[in-house]
Amino acid sequence: MALLILVLMLFCSTVAGAQQRDKYEFMRNLPVYADSLIADLNYPLAWGNSDVKDFDAWRKVARQKVFDCMLTPPPPSAKDYEAKVLFEEQRDGYKARKIEIRLSRYYTVPAYVLIPDGKGPFPAVNLLHDHGAHLFIGKEKVIRPLACEDSTVIKDAEAWLTGYGHQFFGDYLAKNGYVVFAADAPMWGERGQKEGPRRDRYDMIAGNMMMYGIDLSAYMTYDDIAGTEYLATMPEVDASRIGCTGWSMGAYRAWMLAALSDRIKASASICWMVTTDEQMSFKYNRTENGGFANCFPGLRRWLDYPHVASIACPKAMLFINGSQDKLFPVAGVQKAFDTMHATWQSQGADDKLETELWDIPHSCPVKAQERVLEFFQKHL
């Protein structure tokens, strides 16, 4: 009997994998009426569309709308951060620390901090790691793992450097005089699953978190804000000179952080900016559109990506996207750049916004890291 049940289960599984109905409502991960949804998005709270005509007042209203869509925030810790140094080593021109920091009453977060040698306080950067559908490492993608880490972590981080031109972004910034902070985002590195990292489980866990009234992507942003606040408390840091940067999801995290945290003075984003009408349409042959990693419930009914980034105006902002980047259609990138320039121009600050389209794929090559350093040297 047990053998018969097993055979039937295997048969049903095989048939289900090939079954199709003549009538359907979803295709290529989108509803068939995606174009109609896009046509109905008019972004009533965007700068220029909103009834609020004073820019400072608009920034407050728009920022609050973003926070509203982020659902329930994590409760703060009873004490400020309770940072604990777990390991420290000297590197060429800077110290590297592994710390554990309490960013919420619910959890502690593993992070790396790099501190230049010499007398501070120094400018600082919150360096935000990428997604890459690779969750085994987080902070180790952007800072060379410390000697206390397992050899599998070290080897994985070295292999991941291909996307960064074989250079650890954080170590490069530290060698040039910046305190660098990098923490694991929820679901990455030491904040992952006990059962091991699986990309398909990310969306399932994000859905489960919503059952608690929590948005997992928002928790990532809330933690980025709290991590920046911790960075400002460090005696080695000049709290008036803090920036943020990242590639891919890290770039998204960077402009979100700049929009929502007054601590950030300058932000640089590599390969993450686009408009929803291009990103979520059937025009391009992509297997994934959007996703829980950058999803705040209902926000698109009010603001598009460049409108949210515009909340950072008139801060210094750098955006680099690639013309060969298959994740972000050039048409959508250019529309987003134009939208943001219109905002910065309206405030007489267009010289603070730098948008560049490079002939590169979805990557963070050494020349992009050098461009970010040049940008920070100018603005931090």
Side-chain angles (χ1 to χ4, degrees):
M1 184 65 179
L3 179 60
L4 177 60
I5 292 173
L6 178 60
V7 170
L8 288 171
M9 289 175 63
L10 290 172
F11 173 77
C12 291
S13 176
T14 302
V15 172
Q19 283 181 317
Q20 290 181 315
R21 299 292 296 269
D22 291 336
K23 183 174 175 57
Y24 53 86
E25 195 165 326
F26 295 88
M27 178 176 67
R28 286 171 46 194
N29 300 330
L30 295 175
V32 295
Y33 46 87
D35 290 344
S36 296
L37 292 177
I38 289 170
D40 286 343
L41 296 176
N42 56 11
Y43 309 117
L45 199 52
W47 175 245
N49 294 345
S50 172
D51 292 336
V52 182
K53 302 305 179 184
D54 177 81
F55 190 75
D56 289 338
W58 171 81
R59 288 181 73 249
K60 292 179 182 177
V61 171
R63 180 183 281 185
Q64 186 57 54
K65 178 57 70 177
V66 176
F67 279 124
D68 290 345
C69 292
M70 288 167 68
L71 304 182
T72 309
S77 57
K79 299 178 182 178
D80 285 344
Y81 307 118
E82 301 177 49
K84 180 193 304 182
V85 177
L86 303 179
F87 191 84
E88 182 174 297
E89 64 188 31
Q90 182 65 40
R91 296 184 176 177
D92 184 16
Y94 58 99
K95 291 189 293 290
R97 290 177 183 164
K98 182 176 184 179
I99 67 171
E100 188 173 78
I101 178 173
R102 181 165 291 282
L103 296 185
S104 163
R105 180 164 54 85
Y106 290 156
Y107 48 78
T108 58
V109 175
Y112 286 162
V113 181
L114 306 180
I115 304 172
D117 295 340
K119 182 176 175 57
F122 303 98
V125 174
N126 192 343
L127 180 54
L128 307 154
H129 69 73
D130 63 83
H131 186 307
H134 186 70
L135 283 66
F136 181 64
I137 53 175
K139 59 191 179 296
E140 302 90 356
K141 293 181 175 184
V142 290
I143 290 178
R144 183 179 295 280
L146 277 69
C148 61
E149 304 294 359
D150 185 90
S151 61
T152 57
V153 171
I154 295 172
K155 289 178 182 178
D156 197 56
E158 290 172 348
W160 195 252
L161 274 188
T162 302
Y164 290 90
H166 302 282
Q167 174 172 273
F168 283 102
F169 199 175
D171 295 72
Y172 172 67
L173 292 172
K175 285 180 181 178
N176 283 278
Y178 292 82
V179 172
V180 181
F181 174 88
D184 289 334
M187 287 295 293
W188 273 267
E190 295 175 277
R191 302 183 70 186
Q193 290 179 266
K194 178 182 179 181
E195 298 82 2
R198 282 180 51 183
R199 169 64 183 88
D200 61 331
R201 293 289 178 178
Y202 182 94
D203 294 342
M204 184 177 292
I205 289 173
N208 285 342
M209 293 291 276
M210 285 188 175
M211 300 300 289
Y212 300 108
I214 292 168
D215 181 68
L216 192 59
S217 177
Y219 262 44
M220 178 173 67
T221 300
Y222 277 122
D223 288 348
D224 292 341
I225 295 171
T228 305
E229 290 296 326
Y230 165 72
L231 196 55
T233 69
M234 292 180 59
E236 299 92 346
V237 170
D238 180 347
S240 69
R241 293 189 292 159
I242 298 178
C244 59
T245 189
W247 165 51
S248 193
M249 183 183 76
Y252 163 84
R253 295 167 66 188
W255 57 256
M256 282 294 305
L257 179 57
L260 300 181
S261 171
D262 291 331
R263 287 287 187 189
I264 297 298
K265 182 179 180 183
S267 171
S269 296
I270 303 169
C271 291
W272 210 121
M273 179 46 69
V274 74
T275 55
T276 297
D277 62 340
E278 299 292 332
Q279 186 71 356
M280 300 298 292
S281 76
F282 285 112
K283 296 179 185 177
Y284 309 96
N285 186 23
R286 294 193 309 278
T287 58
E288 182 179 0
N289 301 67
F292 279 110
N294 53 272
C295 175
F296 294 171
L299 184 55
R300 287 294 82 77
R301 288 291 170 180
W302 301 96
L303 299 158
D304 201 359
Y305 299 117
H307 304 142
V308 176
S310 293
I311 297 171
C313 179
K315 295 178 183 179
M317 301 275 277
L318 169 66
F319 291 86
I320 299 172
N321 269 69
S323 61
Q324 305 305 315
D325 189 338
K326 297 185 184 304
L327 297 183
F328 299 99
V330 171
V333 173
Q334 196 58 63
K335 285 181 184 178
F337 285 176
D338 291 346
T339 295
M340 292 188 294
H341 275 292
T343 303
W344 264 258
Q345 287 169 2
S346 76
Q347 301 308 304
D350 199 43
D351 60 323
K352 295 285 190 69
L353 176 64
E354 302 179 49
T355 57
E356 301 173 4
L357 191 63
W358 291 15
D359 185 21
I360 57 173
H362 191 71
S363 61
C364 184
V366 169
K367 63 179 181 179
Q369 298 173 45
E370 292 171 346
R371 178 69 180 92
V372 170
L373 175 63
E374 175 191 13
F375 174 79
F376 282 152
Q377 286 174 331
K378 177 180 178 181
H379 294 288
L380 294 182

